[in-house]
Amino acid sequence: MAEEAKNNGGDAVVAAQGHGAVDVSAGTAVISSDAVQNPGLPPHRKRVTDLDPKKAKQAERVVYSLFYISIAGSLGAVLAYMFFPIETGELMAIRLHTLFVGLGMALALLAVGIGAVHWGKALMADHESIDMRHPVASDEETRKAAVEVFEVSNEESGFSRRSLVRNSLIGALIAFPIPGITLLRGLAPQDEDPVELLKNTMWTKGLRLARDPSGVPIKASEVTIGSAFHVIPENLTHEDFATLNAEERGGSENFLDAKAKAIVLLMRLDQSELKELPERESWSYDGIVAYSKVCTHVGCPVALYEQHTHHLLCPCHQSQFDVSEHAKVVFGPAKRPLPQLPITVDEEGYLVAQSDFHEPVGPSFWERLK
């Protein structure tokens, strides 16, 4: 187009898209002659609360009443959690618990939401304004302007002036998280020490290491260098678990809890590659080591083994543990090594545990409770 303009003696015809051609000088901008005009804004219409102080007072009462209802909903959810327990495991108890706790939390959130919207629509200042763009600076003038904005906002919203609305909103926001905090109590063991629960597993002296999930015992000769086995105690099968007493179950009441605590990864390295502490040299057998499969970060299963680096990888948050050096943490958010299970062999060549773990399995949080 520039070349065409040059050939035409410096003049060019530039067509606006969708409109007729207009003769203009080269290099000038084209403004359509039939562009849409700014229609302007309609006259501002005041709300009923702006015209009638009684209506404004009535709207204020509605707003803080909704905030108080939100507080009642939050407290109701807490009371429902207390008076409709689910420890029995009965279906009706779980249904009632879920119903009333859910209703309380829904009422708390709905009431505070409707109250905030009604406050903005009926009571806060109602006028049009233009927010001009300007460079953001951090000089003194800008800071003063920011303070003025907050002061004007406070004046227009009535946050300081309408004390009942303000205080009820603060109360509703404080009360709203309480049901969620209360529900977290149900995730912790009831009246039991979590450190003791996670320190005792089904592993005992002489108990054979078995394949997961078949329960077939493993001989040391079956574990080749570079291999990895997912291991459970020999008696941790659905059939055998029902016949065990509480002590033999490691303090667990059901099969999955017992398995979650006792599950182990078994690997074999070249003996020369192991960097063992003197007090732990007897915990391995001919390069075979066993470590808890439960990550010490948040309890995910550490199930990925890199043969060449001897690293165990947790797929949840990428923590890595060095098997050659007591599963120490080499990367990721985990804060302590995986607990090691002391092992040896019995007279028939089967791998057996020397004892239980010497520390709690699972997340390091429990360690801090000691």
Side-chain angles (χ1 to χ4, degrees):
M1 183 178 291
E3 185 65 27
E4 182 181 352
K6 181 178 180 181
N7 295 334
N8 290 336
D11 293 331
V13 176
V14 183
Q17 186 174 0
H19 304 283
V22 181
D23 292 335
V24 296
S25 300
T28 61
V30 176
I31 301 177
S32 175
S33 59
D34 59 346
V36 177
Q37 300 298 316
N38 185 352
L41 294 174
H44 178 68
R45 187 175 63 181
K46 292 188 175 182
R47 303 165 301 184
V48 64
T49 51
D50 296 329
L51 301 173
D52 188 350
K54 291 184 178 180
K55 294 292 184 180
K57 195 65 178 179
Q58 181 181 355
E60 182 179 354
R61 286 195 294 268
V62 171
V63 171
Y64 66 68
S65 296
L66 285 168
F67 290 157
Y68 286 137
I69 291 174
S70 175
I71 296 175
S74 298
L75 298 179
V78 175
L79 294 176
Y81 178 86
M82 297 169 58
F83 290 102
F84 294 94
I86 58 175
E87 282 72 20
T88 60
E90 296 179 1
L91 182 59
M92 184 54 66
I94 296 175
R95 285 179 175 177
L96 292 176
H97 177 93
T98 305
L99 173 64
F100 290 109
V101 171
L103 286 176
M105 296 180 69
L107 179 63
L109 182 59
L110 184 64
V112 75
I114 295 176
V117 171
H118 191 55
W119 182 9
K121 285 185 171 294
L123 295 177
M124 291 187 181
D126 179 38
H127 58 80
E128 290 79 16
S129 61
I130 299 176
D131 187 7
M132 303 300 296
R133 293 185 178 183
H134 56 83
V136 177
S138 58
D139 53 26
E140 185 65 27
E141 182 179 351
T142 302
R143 289 194 292 268
K144 289 182 178 180
V147 173
E148 291 178 1
V149 169
F150 279 104
E151 291 176 349
V152 171
S153 300
N154 178 54
E155 180 63 28
E156 293 181 348
S157 66
F159 189 80
S160 298
R161 179 164 40 85
R162 303 181 188 276
S163 58
L164 281 174
V165 171
R166 181 190 68 242
N167 296 339
S168 59
L169 173 62
I170 293 174
L173 294 178
I174 292 175
F176 178 71
I178 294 177
I181 297 172
T182 305
L183 291 175
L184 292 177
R185 177 64 182 90
L187 301 178
Q190 302 291 324
D191 304 322
E192 295 183 83
D193 182 4
V195 174
E196 194 64 27
L197 288 176
L198 293 178
K199 189 174 183 179
N200 297 322
T201 72
M202 289 184 62
W203 293 107
T204 58
K205 184 177 181 179
L207 186 60
R208 287 178 175 176
L209 280 67
R211 297 173 184 266
D212 180 25
S214 64
V216 177
I218 304 172
K219 285 189 174 182
S221 58
E222 298 173 349
V223 186
T224 58
I225 292 180
S227 62
F229 288 74
H230 296 262
V231 174
I232 56 174
E234 182 183 15
N235 57 354
L236 186 53
T237 61
H238 286 284
E239 296 78 13
D240 296 335
F241 188 79
T243 64
L244 302 178
N245 58 40
E247 184 177 354
E248 292 172 328
R249 293 180 176 182
S252 300
E253 297 182 359
N254 60 70
F255 176 82
L256 290 179
D257 284 346
K259 185 174 182 178
K261 293 193 299 181
I263 197 164
V264 162
L265 276 173
L266 183 74
M267 295 136 294
R268 188 169 199 162
L269 289 69
D270 189 295
Q271 186 70 41
S272 62
E273 296 180 320
L274 284 177
K275 304 172 185 177
E276 297 181 291
L277 296 173
E279 62 270 21
R280 290 195 181 186
E281 289 181 353
S282 61
W283 288 19
S284 62
Y285 177 79
D286 196 20
I288 302 175
V289 290
Y291 289 97
S292 171
K293 189 178 173 181
V294 186
C295 182
T296 54
H297 178 218
V298 292
C300 296
V302 181
L304 304 177
Y305 177 56
E306 295 179 343
Q307 175 183 350
H308 298 292
T309 61
H310 308 309
H311 289 177
L312 283 172
L313 174 66
C314 176
C316 290
H317 305 98
Q318 286 69 56
S319 292
Q320 294 185 29
F321 306 87
D322 188 356
V323 176
S324 66
E325 194 170 352
H326 298 299
K328 73 174 184 179
V329 181
V330 294
F331 181 79
K335 297 301 181 184
R336 66 182 177 98
L338 297 172
Q340 184 175 2
L341 180 70
I343 59 172
T344 185
V345 294
D346 59 14
E347 297 176 352
E348 300 179 41
Y350 287 101
L351 291 167
V352 296
Q354 296 185 36
S355 65
D356 199 353
F357 293 102
H358 288 225
E359 57 183 316
V361 300
S364 296
F365 167 74
W366 308 119
E367 286 286 84
R368 295 197 291 271
L369 294 180
K370 283 186 175 182

